[in-house]
């Protein structure tokens, strides 16, 4: 009987891995879709970055709606309806969004395109809220991190393939020299018809699959007050989401749009920190300074990770960086998301019970195995992969810093934050291939930051750990705010100089490691015995 359950759980895990693949595929594809839209619809860099704004904003809005409904009903809504049904509903919502993208593209209305992209992300939010705990529930809690590492690896494979496949659909080859203006919209129509069909097919597949039933009607703890800071963030973000795409994005209107978003988010979190310190009763998880600092860190981390690749297409089209055509950008976007996979595969080694010697050997070997997979994918799309061999130097640097970090969250986050600063400075002070690979190397630094931030933000929260985790997930919103901020700087001061934005992001993440360490010492928490739980990325 135990063997039968084990086989069922393995089958369920493989089934769940499919949605992780599509999250990575879609998020990475934005790196090709953004420069395409910019060229085809004659957008500014800021306007093009609104694709990220609505995509990651959809994650935030969807998560907040689920949180609000759960608080109102005093039960976890997704847990109540069942993880399987939650994934199916989420897939169908994303399918509707993909179908809406077809008339949106043909209408020539960029606002319509953003609305369709937002709907796809709302579906992803529900899928992710259901799928992550479902993966953990498929076996013992002790091995939950290993299962999440597996699904996270599948997510990264989707990230590698997404830009390549989308480029082939649009331009016929990932290495061709066709400009976006020469692409027929029928190519985009076919792409989204295929995507919508895949979402529907996947929903049917999940519905008929013999997945184990997971979920309960357990009531949530009563007595906590409404989370005012999150409500302020939610209302403010909804306003800028509704008003922003309708404005002309010029002059003061553009500044108000982005900086009001930042002010709402940062202001609400800072106020909550001071208010919680003075009167912790009723603040739940947000009475802990490590969580509030961690929410800002997740916001910054996701924004930094996304903005590097989202603006990379515009950077590569400049003369100093090679004057690439839109169709030739995808291999570099694929390499960036591949860098995240390289780092996460190496970080996952620590989750297994292996000898120290074997761990050390695998820490050296696994990153190059992952790099070989990235090269293989691009080779089959007719890309001259010899141009990427020099990137091995960045991978060697990653391996050295893994040994320095020693799987300790504070040390790991600090050294990789500093390394990220160094890579961004190198990119800012040079140009051409050196600067390109320096900026792409930011993906190596981002790869293992998610679990380090989570470990530091949630330690010591006790009964509020699950609530704190939900708040951290909401801060994926950073992926929707920080890229447009860089877009504004790119439009006013140049795309190259705009990469000071991810530099500042890495600087805050290094600061967060130092600051949260001090806060936790005040609470008597020994960080020397707290290791990174490598659960992949968002």
């Amino acid at each position: 009987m135990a063997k039968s359950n084990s086989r069922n759980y393995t089958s369920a895990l493989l089934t769940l891995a499919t949605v992780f693949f599509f999250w990575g595929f879609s998020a990475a594809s934005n790196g090709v879709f953004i420069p395409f839209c910019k060229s085809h619809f004659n957008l500014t860099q800021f306007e093009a970055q609104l694709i990220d704004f609505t995509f990651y904003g959809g994650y935030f809005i969807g998560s907040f709606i689920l949180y609000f409904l759960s608080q109102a009903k005093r039960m976890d809504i997704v847990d109540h309806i069942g993880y399987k049904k939650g994934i199916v509903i989420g897939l169908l919502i994303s399918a509707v969004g993909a179908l809406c993208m077809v008339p949106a593209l043909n209408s020539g209305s960029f606002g319509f395109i953003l609305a369709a992209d937002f709907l796809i992300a709302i579906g992803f939010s529900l899928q992710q809220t259901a799928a992550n705990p479902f993966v953990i529930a498929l076996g013992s809690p002790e091995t939950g991190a290993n299962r999440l590492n597996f699904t996270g690896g599948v997510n990264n494979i989707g990230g590698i393939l997404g830009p390549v496949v989308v480029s082939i659909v649009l331009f016929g080859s990932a290495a061709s020299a066709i400009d976006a203006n020469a692409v027929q919209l029928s190519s985009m129509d076919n792409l989204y018809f295929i995507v919508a069909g895949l979402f529907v097919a996947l929903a049917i597949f999940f519905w008929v699959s013999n997945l184990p039933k997971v979920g309960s009607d357990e009531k949530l703890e009563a007595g906590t007050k409404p989370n005012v800071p999150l409500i302020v963030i939610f209302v403010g973000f909804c306003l800028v989401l509704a008003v922003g795409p309708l404005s002309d994005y010029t002059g003061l209107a553009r500044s108000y749009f982005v900086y009001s978003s930042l002010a709402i988010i940062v202001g609400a979190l800072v106020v909550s920190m001071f208010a919680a310190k003075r009167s912790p009763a009723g603040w739940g998880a947000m009475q802990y300074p490590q969580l509030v600092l961690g929410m800002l860190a997740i916001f910054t981390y996701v924004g930094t990770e996304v903005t590097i690749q989202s603006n990379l297409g515009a950077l590569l089209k400049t003369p100093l960086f090679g004057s690439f055509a839109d169709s030739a950008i995808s291999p570099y976007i694929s390499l960036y998301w591949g860098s995240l996979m390289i780092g996460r595969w190496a970080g996952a080694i620590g989750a297994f019970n292996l000898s120290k010697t074997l761990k050390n050997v695998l820490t050296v070997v696994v990153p190059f195995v992952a790099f070989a997979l990235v090269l293989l994918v691009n080779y089959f799309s007719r890309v001259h992969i010899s141009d990427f061999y020099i990137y091995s130097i960045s991978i060697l640097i990653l391996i050295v810093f893994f040994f320095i970090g020693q799987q300790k969250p504070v040390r790991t986050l600090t050294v990789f934050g500093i390394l990220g600063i160094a890579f961004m400075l190198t990119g800012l002070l040079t140009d051409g291939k050196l600067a390109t690979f320096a900026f792409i190397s930011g993906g190596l630094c981002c790869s293992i930051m998610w679990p380090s931030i989570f470990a530091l933000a949630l330690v010591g929260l006790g009964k509020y750990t699950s609530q704190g985790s939900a708040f951290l997930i909401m801060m994926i919103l950073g992926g929707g705010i920080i890229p447009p901020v860089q877009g504004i700087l790119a439009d006013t001061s140049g795309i190259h100089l705009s990469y000071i934005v991810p530099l500042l992001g890495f600087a805050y993440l290094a600061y967060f490691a130092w600051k949260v360490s001090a806060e936790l010492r005040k609470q008597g928490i020994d960080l020397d015995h707290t290791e990174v739980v490598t659960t992949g990325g968002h």
Side-chain angles (χ1 to χ4, degrees), residues 247-509:
S247 70
D248 60 0
Y249 308 114
T250 58
L252 292 177
R254 176 187 297 175
S255 300
Y256 286 146
F257 170 67
V258 175
Y259 295 119
S260 62
S261 301
L262 286 172
I264 288 166
I265 294 163
V266 177
L269 290 176
V270 170
V271 168
S272 72
M273 180 184 291
F274 286 104
K277 280 186 176 181
R278 294 182 179 180
S279 178
W283 280 85
M286 293 189 76
Q287 67 187 277
Y288 295 92
Q290 62 262 39
L291 177 69
V292 178
L293 289 167
M295 290 172 70
L296 281 171
I298 287 292
F299 178 89
T300 303
Y301 152 73
V302 177
T304 299
E305 174 190 288
V306 173
T307 200
I308 291 173
Q309 69 92 32
S310 291
N311 287 281
L312 189 60
L315 182 73
L316 293 175
K317 293 173 71 174
T318 61
L320 287 176
F321 285 81
S323 300
F324 284 78
D326 292 279
S327 56
I329 292 168
S330 65
Y332 293 89
I333 303 298
S334 178
L335 178 61
Y336 177 78
W337 289 106
S339 298
L340 291 163
M341 182 185 74
I342 291 167
R344 285 169 184 167
W345 280 21
I349 296 168
F352 298 93
N353 187 21
L354 305 172
S355 67
K356 184 176 180 180
T357 301
L358 182 55
K359 283 184 178 180
N360 290 340
V361 171
L362 290 176
T363 299
V364 175
V365 173
V366 167
F368 285 103
V369 172
F371 182 44
L373 178 59
V374 177
L375 294 178
L376 187 64
V377 169
N378 282 282
Y379 172 79
F380 284 119
S381 61
R382 299 179 182 178
V383 171
H384 297 295
I385 60 174
S386 58
D387 294 340
F388 291 166
Y389 291 164
I390 192 66
Y391 195 65
S392 298
I393 296 175
S394 293
I395 297 174
L396 285 172
I397 295 172
L398 169 81
I399 293 169
V400 171
F401 274 71
F402 258 115
F403 284 113
I404 295 173
Q406 296 181 359
Q407 294 291 311
K408 304 294 183 181
V410 170
R411 185 179 300 181
T412 296
L413 195 55
T414 300
V415 298
F416 278 96
I418 293 172
L419 181 61
I421 294 171
F423 278 137
M424 294 304 106
L425 276 175
T426 301
L428 285 166
L429 297 175
T430 60
D431 54 41
K433 292 287 185 181
L434 176 59
T436 299
F437 287 130
F439 288 139
I440 291 174
S441 296
L444 297 172
C445 300
C446 288
S447 62
I448 45 74
M449 286 184 165
W450 176 278
S452 295
I453 296 169
F454 257 71
L456 293 168
L458 297 180
V459 66
L461 265 63
K463 65 180 180 180
Y464 295 112
T465 300
S466 294
Q467 186 184 85
S469 178
F471 293 163
L472 290 173
I473 291 294
M474 290 181 189
M475 290 297 102
I476 288 177
L477 174 66
I481 299 294
I482 292 180
V485 170
Q486 184 173 350
I488 287 179
L489 189 57
D491 289 334
T492 55
S493 303
I495 186 65
H496 192 183
L497 181 61
S498 75
Y499 271 81
I500 195 172
V501 171
L503 184 151
L504 295 174
F506 282 121
Y508 173 74
L509 293 168

Side-chain angles (χ1 to χ4, degrees), residues 140-152:
S140 66
E142 291 79 9
T143 57
N146 293 350
R147 291 188 293 278
L148 282 171
N149 277 316
F150 170 73
T151 53

